[in-house]
Amino acid sequence: GILALSLPKMGTSSKPNPQSLTRAKTLISKAISVGAPAYNAGSIDECARIYRATSLEIIPLLPDSLRNSLESTLQSNEKDDDAGAWAFRRQFDAIASYQPPFMPTSDDVSDYKFEKFTRQKLLAEPFNVHDGVMGGISQGQWLAQNNTFFGTTSLANNGGFASLRWRFPSP
């Protein structure tokens, strides 16, 4: 049979919610569970087709930065199915690892507990999380000796953030 796909209107800006991103990640997981074995069995064209179809399905579910990057991959003309499959897989990996930033739901700061950066609270070194995951070039660094984060942000390549992430044990 013939599979006909139409590209969604590019540049549309919706407000994806956390459930949308979770749905996109679920669809990616399903696509990889079918596409990767197809690729490994030599059906590289089938893998590329599955990844492209999934990309088209998840576009409206993604925040702008992820959507823009995936749209670029959809619009690129890869030389062959192998290059296309890997281009989509790299996008899928970036989407799957993306964690949305904390967004307070209330303007009342008394709803939130703020902690000081102390050695007792910050037991481990933080992970740098910069816009490089989306193609950006921003940089940042944590100086543990004086509990200082510094960096430079750039809007180039759809970037614009430099941050840190700590993993705290569950209470």
Side-chain angles (χ1 to χ4, degrees):
I2 297 176
L3 177 68
L5 302 171
S6 62
L7 194 61
K9 183 179 177 190
M10 298 298 168
T12 58
S13 181
S14 62
K15 298 282 185 193
N17 57 44
Q19 294 79 17
S20 298
L21 186 57
T22 299
R23 174 82 177 128
K25 289 180 179 186
T26 299
L27 292 169
I28 287 169
S29 180
K30 288 179 181 178
I32 291 171
S33 73
V34 176
Y39 183 97
N40 293 335
S43 297
I44 297 169
D45 59 332
E46 179 66 7
C47 176
R49 186 194 65 76
I50 290 166
Y51 287 0
R52 175 172 283 282
T54 299
S55 295
L56 290 167
E57 188 173 355
I58 67 173
I59 282 278
L61 303 174
L62 301 175
D64 289 341
S65 60
L66 295 172
R67 181 184 310 124
N68 292 341
S69 186
L70 185 56
E71 285 174 348
S72 293
T73 299
L74 280 163
Q75 293 173 345
S76 70
N77 292 318
E78 294 295 340
K79 294 175 264 182
D80 56 37
D81 288 331
D82 185 58
W86 278 109
F88 286 119
R89 180 57 191 263
R90 284 188 293 277
Q91 290 295 321
F92 288 173
D93 290 345
I95 295 165
S97 66
Y98 175 78
Q99 295 293 320
F102 170 74
M103 300 299 284
T105 57
S106 167
D107 290 333
D108 184 5
V109 291
S110 67
D111 290 345
Y112 304 100
K113 181 178 178 184
F114 294 94
E115 298 283 346
K116 290 187 177 193
F117 288 145
T118 65
R119 273 288 140 213
Q120 293 75 25
K121 296 288 183 184
L122 305 176
L123 301 175
E125 289 298 311
F127 298 96
N128 288 320
V129 181
H130 306 319
D131 55 12
V133 298
M134 300 308 304
I137 58 171
S138 298
Q139 297 291 316
Q141 184 177 358
W142 174 250
L143 298 176
Q145 64 272 20
N146 57 359
N147 292 342
T148 303
F149 175 74
F150 73 95
T152 306
T153 57
S154 169
L155 297 178
N157 302 334
N158 293 317
F161 70 90
S163 63
L164 298 172
R165 178 173 290 158
W166 277 270
R167 297 288 184 194
F168 295 99
S170 297

